[in-house]
Amino acid sequence: MLWGMDSRSLPYTLCQLLLRPAYLIRNYISSKQQASYTPISLLVCVAVVVFIFVSIQPPQHVSWNLSIFAPAGENFLMFDNVFDYFEQHYDVGVMFLLSMLVIPTYFIFRFSPQCDHHTLPESLFILVFNSIITLLWVLVFWIFIAVFILEPKSATPFILLAIVILTVYRSYHRLFGYGRWSTLWRVIAVFIAAGMTMCLLVFSDHMTYLVASGKSMIALKIFVCRFIPFLMGIVFVTGASYYISRSTQVKAS
């Protein structure tokens, strides 16, 4: 059977991820992996199922306004096509967004009460599990639309973003052991850092286009006025959250 899908670990892992995600993730990163299905294999399987299901749904008509990133005109090398693709394949967009959370999660939740000094690879596996959970809820969302024969609306991306945020919050709250408000502001900081990182990617794409078009001075202006401030914002948000978490742990000890 493909990737051991005939074993009892698959339904066990799926049930645990939906009902007790923090319990399963904590056991996995603590090397108690015997009862868990391999996360990478499970992510691939779930992503394929969601990809097929979403692909048969009616196309979306959501306009991504990128003019805030491109004052010289909405000209990009890649991101026009990337956002168009995400518009049709939300599952890929969800995984792309969650991939941006790995490094902020590592720094901001570095000194948590229940997962103290977790490593960067462990942060990666935490986000892999969260990607699986989010994709499962995305699948539930699309099944709901299909069963009730609803037309997807322009609000769909925001509904899916809410699913991502709530999934991450629920998982992090129980996994890392912070209180509700302490978890909430850290999750907000993680998403702010991730959002700024995505902005840097868009800025870089637009600047590359401008340089290739012979508009180096405009590209330099974007670099100074937009790229550098956003980069400093990432450093500030991540660094301040890291310092607060470390100071809190020192006081508690």
Side-chain angles (χ1 to χ4, degrees):
M1 195 70 178
L2 177 64
W3 286 337
M5 294 180 67
D6 56 336
S7 68
R8 289 181 295 177
S9 65
L10 179 58
Y12 169 82
T13 303
L14 289 174
C15 289
Q16 291 295 313
L17 283 175
L18 290 176
L19 300 177
R20 297 195 302 172
Y23 173 81
L24 180 70
I25 297 172
R26 189 181 299 114
N27 278 350
Y28 190 87
I29 64 177
S30 300
S31 301
K32 300 176 183 178
Q33 306 167 8
Q34 294 81 0
S36 302
Y37 193 77
T38 306
I40 301 297
S41 300
L42 183 57
L43 177 61
V44 172
C45 294
V46 173
V48 168
V49 172
V50 176
F51 180 86
I52 294 173
F53 194 88
V54 172
S55 296
I56 65 177
Q57 295 298 309
Q60 302 295 294
H61 300 286
V62 180
S63 177
W64 297 94
N65 183 12
L66 300 180
S67 59
I68 59 173
F69 301 107
E74 296 185 31
N75 299 310
F76 299 87
L77 291 180
M78 298 186 308
F79 270 90
D80 280 330
N81 294 330
V82 168
F83 278 96
D84 287 342
Y85 186 81
F86 288 169
E87 181 181 316
Q88 302 295 331
H89 301 284
Y90 288 119
D91 53 328
V92 181
V94 165
M95 288 190 290
F96 177 78
L97 172 61
L98 286 169
S99 69
M100 298 289 102
L101 305 183
V102 175
I103 294 179
T105 294
Y106 170 70
F107 285 104
I108 294 175
F109 287 89
R110 178 76 169 133
F111 301 100
S112 61
Q114 294 186 10
C115 281
D116 186 22
H117 289 85
H118 62 280
T119 63
L120 189 57
E122 289 172 350
S123 294
L124 176 61
F125 279 111
I126 290 170
L127 267 301
V128 168
F129 279 117
N130 276 285
S131 298
I132 297 169
I133 301 167
T134 305
L135 288 176
L136 289 173
W137 285 116
V138 168
L139 181 60
V140 170
F141 172 75
W142 282 109
I143 290 175
F144 177 83
I145 289 179
V147 169
F148 291 95
I149 318 178
L150 301 175
E151 287 292 331
K153 306 295 183 181
S154 58
T156 298
F158 301 100
I159 295 174
L160 296 177
L161 178 61
I163 292 175
V164 173
I165 295 174
L166 289 174
T167 299
V168 172
Y169 171 80
R170 177 172 175 260
S171 174
Y172 283 15
H173 173 52
R174 299 181 179 180
L175 174 64
F176 293 112
Y178 286 114
R180 288 187 177 89
W181 292 110
S182 295
T183 303
L184 179 61
W185 76 257
R186 286 177 172 85
V187 168
I188 292 173
V190 166
F191 274 94
I192 289 175
M196 287 183 174
T197 302
M198 293 180 66
C199 289
L200 291 185
L201 294 177
V202 177
F203 291 147
S204 299
D205 188 42
H206 183 52
M207 288 188 299
T208 304
Y209 171 84
L210 292 174
V211 171
S213 302
K215 302 177 181 178
S216 301
M217 293 305 298
I218 299 178
L220 179 61
K221 180 179 178 181
I222 294 174
F223 178 78
V224 173
C225 298
R226 294 174 180 254
F227 189 92
I228 292 180
F230 271 73
L231 180 61
M232 294 175 64
I234 294 172
V235 174
F236 174 78
V237 170
T238 306
S241 302
Y242 177 90
Y243 175 79
I244 293 171
S245 299
R246 184 172 184 178
S247 300
T248 302
Q249 186 203 45
V250 171
K251 291 179 181 178
S253 60

